[in-house]
Amino acid sequence: MPSTLPEGEVAPRDGALPDAAVREAGSRPLGFYLHVPFCASRCGYCDFNTYTATELGGGGSQASYAETAVGEVRMARRVLGELDRPVDTVFFGGGTPTLLPAADLGKMLAAVRDEFGLAPGAEVTTEANPESVDPAYLEALLEAGFTRVSFGMQSASSQVLRILDRQHTPGRALQAVKEATAAGFEHVNLDLIYGTPGESLDDWRGSLESALSVQPDHVSAYALIVEDGTQLARRIRRGELPMTDDDDLADKYVLADEMLSAEGLHWYEVSNWARSTAARCRHNELYWRGDTWWGIGPGAHSHVGGIRWWNVKHPSAYAERLNAGESPAHARETLDPETRRVERVLLEVRLSDGLPLEVLDEAGRAAAKSVLQNGLATIASTPPESKESTESAAGGRLVLTPRGRLLADAVVRDLLP
Ligand SMILES: C[S@@+](CC[C@H](N)C(=O)[O-])C[C@H]1O[C@@H](n2cnc3c(N)ncnc32)[C@H](O)[C@@H]1O
Ligand code: SF4
């Protein structure tokens, strides 16, 4: 299968990292992402690295996947030999992690716990398709040590779910939240998508009302991205469905922010709302702040102290590498200080904690003045409540206004002239 991964630099066969990268990693929060690259069927809009049984064609067995992934966790332990800190967050994503037996997810989590240890209060999340779980499955997850579930609800309109090729009814996602809460999960997220062709503003309002009715402590609302090469992109190109419209997306974002805020869910990243600081997704925060994460699984990306790498994409190629005792890394890159600064601007400006002004260069600081004058951001001077770091307190932080959040990409272009 042709790989669409970037080429990058050659990654060492044993996965070795420079000592300085491992040393830096020791001073920052540590997360593990475990990718599960299987789905029962493919949704027309999705271009994640995931495979249905037909697409796999017998390669990269689902039954042996957990054992293979455990092999990469053990390799991570060898590579990070000097690193002495427990794991703060673990996130199982997909694909559909919950297509595997709960015992398999438990086995992968146990490997992370055995090799590295989990920090007290560690966050352990799995994504779950609403139709892929039942009360017994959710109880087994809780028993295995999961603390958070993230359901892909997407919409409460059956017509929208049909256009998205979703396999569940609108009601199933709500029922799944109730089951997770009854099982004892304190933290439950719902993923929603807005801007599906044919979705009206009232449809979207209905989706938000439904989601809020089951009181999740976190909601992610994503504007539909029409990814090249997907079935959805082909249907739009053939004229079967209309293209998404920027004004419609903006109206729907504003409505989401109003309705979620009114129910006590506050934005902390442009597409993410949480009921409290404790309800934020700490794993995603770790990505947004350039901390340390090891991505286990085919196509997974990792970052340790300025070295970023990405694994081979196909589950068979992934298993072959690990079975041969080799790193599954396809290639890697070393981030120089300027690249790391640019990435901080790109990611931190999207956070409600804001972007420390000192991260901007001279041209960026000049651009920030017009961003402020145009009402796209304000300056906050107090340190963010959720972070140990107070580096930004002295110089202030740039925090987007609601209009700035709608134009976040344009703001970033201004700040990085
Ligand atoms: C990696 S998917 C996996 C979740 C799970 N398999 C599911 O579908 O319920 C995580 C989330 O990404 C979002 N997503 C995936 N493709 C997207 C797209 N093209 N545009 C916007 N959001 C997308 C969906 O909200 C989805 O729930
Ligand atoms: S959206 Fe989720 S269920 Fe659908 S194909 Fe993508 S990963 Fe699989």
Side-chain angles (χ1 to χ4, degrees), residues 230-250:
T230 57
Q231 182 65 14
L232 178 71
R234 284 190 287 278
R235 293 182 69 189
I236 290 176
R237 208 175 40 243
R238 289 199 294 261
E240 289 170 31
L241 294 171
M243 184 53 188
T244 52
D245 172 82
D246 283 348
D247 290 339
D248 175 64
L249 291 176

Side-chain angles (χ1 to χ4, degrees), residues 38-43 45-48 50 94-96 129 154 166:
F38 310 112
C39 284
S41 63
R42 180 173 288 273
C43 310
Y45 58 92
C46 178
D47 82 337
F48 282 78
T50 186
T96 306
N129 289 35
Q154 322 308 357
R166 299 293 293 180

Side-chain angles (χ1 to χ4, degrees), residues 43 67 75 247 385 396:
C43 310
E67 199 49 49
M75 172 167 286
D247 290 339
E385 51 178 316

Side-chain angles (χ1 to χ4, degrees), residues 21-281:
V22 178
R23 263 198 313 278
E24 182 189 319
S27 64
R28 311 189 68 132
L30 170 64
F32 269 80
Y33 170 76
L34 291 105
H35 188 64
V36 179
F38 310 112
C39 284
S41 63
R42 180 173 288 273
C43 310
Y45 58 92
C46 178
D47 82 337
F48 282 78
N49 188 36
T50 186
Y51 303 82
T52 61
T54 326
E55 288 168 347
L56 269 178
S61 147
Q62 204 167 300
S64 56
Y65 183 72
E67 199 49 49
T68 309
V70 165
E72 192 185 354
V73 176
R74 296 197 181 119
M75 172 167 286
R77 179 66 279 178
R78 287 195 296 280
V79 170
L80 297 175
E82 295 295 307
L83 184 80
D84 180 24
R85 66 174 294 152
V87 174
D88 298 286
T89 66
V90 185
F91 192 103
F92 287 69
T96 306
T98 44
L99 209 53
L100 297 183
D104 282 10
L105 301 190
K107 191 193 273 188
M108 291 188 261
L109 175 57
V112 174
R113 190 190 289 119
D114 292 347
E115 297 294 341
F116 291 88
L118 294 182
E123 173 191 278
V124 183
T125 306
T126 185
E127 288 181 342
N129 289 35
E131 73 281 12
S132 67
V133 294
D134 61 18
Y137 191 100
L138 291 162
E139 277 160 28
L141 287 181
L142 201 69
E143 185 75 10
F146 284 79
T147 64
R148 189 170 179 274
V149 195
S150 170
F151 290 111
M153 170 175 169
Q154 322 308 357
S155 172
S157 147
S158 17
Q159 189 208 333
V160 169
L161 289 177
R162 207 167 30 249
I163 293 171
L164 293 176
D165 299 320
R166 299 293 293 180
Q167 301 302 308
H168 51 91
T169 58
R172 178 57 214 152
L174 307 179
Q175 187 58 28
V177 174
K178 289 181 191 155
E179 289 169 3
T181 309
F185 278 100
E186 197 187 336
H187 300 300
V188 180
N189 169 59
L190 285 174
D191 279 346
L192 296 173
I193 289 183
Y194 58 95
T196 298
E199 180 194 57
S200 67
L201 194 60
D202 276 344
D203 288 334
W204 176 233
R205 185 179 288 108
S207 295
L208 289 161
E209 275 166 1
S210 282
L212 286 165
S213 73
V214 288
Q215 300 184 316
D217 70 347
H218 191 288
V219 168
S220 302
Y222 301 114
L224 178 72
I225 301 170
V226 180
E227 304 279 5
D228 283 346
T230 57
Q231 182 65 14
L232 178 71
R234 284 190 287 278
R235 293 182 69 189
I236 290 176
R237 208 175 40 243
R238 289 199 294 261
E240 289 170 31
L241 294 171
M243 184 53 188
T244 52
D245 172 82
D246 283 348
D247 290 339
D248 175 64
L249 291 176
D251 289 346
K252 287 175 178 168
Y253 182 85
V254 170
L255 184 64
D257 193 45
E258 280 170 12
M259 289 180 63
L260 294 169
S261 307
E263 291 294 319
L265 288 150
H266 298 290
W267 82 285
Y268 69 103
E269 194 273 347
V270 169
S271 305
N272 289 277
W273 288 259
R275 207 169 281 288
S276 65
T277 307
R280 294 179 179 186
C281 177

